[in-house]
Amino acid sequence: MSHISKIDTKIKSLECLKKALEALDMKYVEAEENERLTLQGYGKGEEIEDCIFEIKTGCKYSIGIRKKENNYEFVADWWAIETFTGLKQDEILNKITRQYAYETIMDKVKDLGYSVVQEDEDTKNNIHLTVRRWA
């Protein structure tokens, strides 16, 4: 029985994803140009093919990233990852997508010529940024 599932995302930038993973101290491997990675699933002979990116999880089961139209999707054997690391799918994905959103916003702020004046996090883990641009 397969435990592999795909999760659609709003991730559009691999550069911001890399920054997010680095900020989270998560190791990753990127496929060489015009090549694809094949990751291992838990079942005998179970494979996750056609990945352009591999996010290491601390066990032999990784999270793959595949290109899907204008976005990317996460694909993994979530059961195996949870069984061998204790980390749940939602916890992992929420952590990655939250940091990805932060990195995307920070890149946009910089591209628009703003600088961050203040950054705070409230008790609900919401981040509040104050930015400024001199005309």
Side-chain angles (χ1 to χ4, degrees):
M1 181 171 125
S2 177
H3 301 111
I4 296 172
S5 59
K6 299 179 264 186
I7 309 295
D8 291 333
T9 70
K10 300 290 184 197
I11 291 178
K12 297 178 185 284
S13 166
L14 281 182
E15 290 308 311
C16 286
L17 177 60
K18 289 179 200 177
K19 288 179 185 178
L21 295 172
E22 289 165 4
L24 295 168
D25 200 27
M26 295 180 79
K27 308 263 186 269
Y28 63 87
V29 175
E30 190 172 4
E32 296 293 325
E33 193 170 332
N34 298 319
E35 291 187 14
R36 295 294 180 257
L37 302 171
T38 299
L39 311 180
Q40 182 178 351
Y42 181 76
K44 185 175 183 176
E46 213 170 63
E47 294 180 332
I48 302 168
E49 298 177 319
D50 202 32
C51 296
I52 60 169
F53 216 78
E54 174 186 7
I55 301 171
K56 302 290 188 174
T57 62
C59 71
K60 67 180 180 178
Y61 306 104
S62 300
I63 301 167
I65 304 290
R66 291 182 185 156
K67 179 79 172 151
K68 184 178 179 190
E69 297 167 10
N70 295 328
N71 296 328
Y72 295 91
E73 68 180 4
F74 289 98
V75 60
D77 189 327
W78 297 105
W79 176 86
I81 291 170
E82 182 176 350
T83 299
F84 292 96
T85 67
L87 301 171
K88 295 185 183 303
Q89 173 186 327
D90 288 348
E91 293 170 3
I92 296 169
L93 294 180
N94 288 342
K95 185 167 60 168
I96 292 171
T97 54
R98 175 184 161 84
Q99 190 65 38
Y100 171 81
Y102 176 84
E103 299 298 339
T104 301
I105 289 168
M106 295 304 276
D107 271 6
K108 193 66 163 174
V109 164
K110 181 181 169 189
D111 288 347
L112 292 173
Y114 289 86
S115 59
V116 176
V117 176
Q118 186 173 347
E119 180 178 334
D120 297 308
E121 190 169 337
D122 65 21
T123 57
K124 295 182 180 178
N125 295 328
N126 295 314
I127 297 173
H128 301 274
L129 295 174
T130 304
V131 297
R132 179 181 300 147
R133 180 172 68 177
W134 296 98

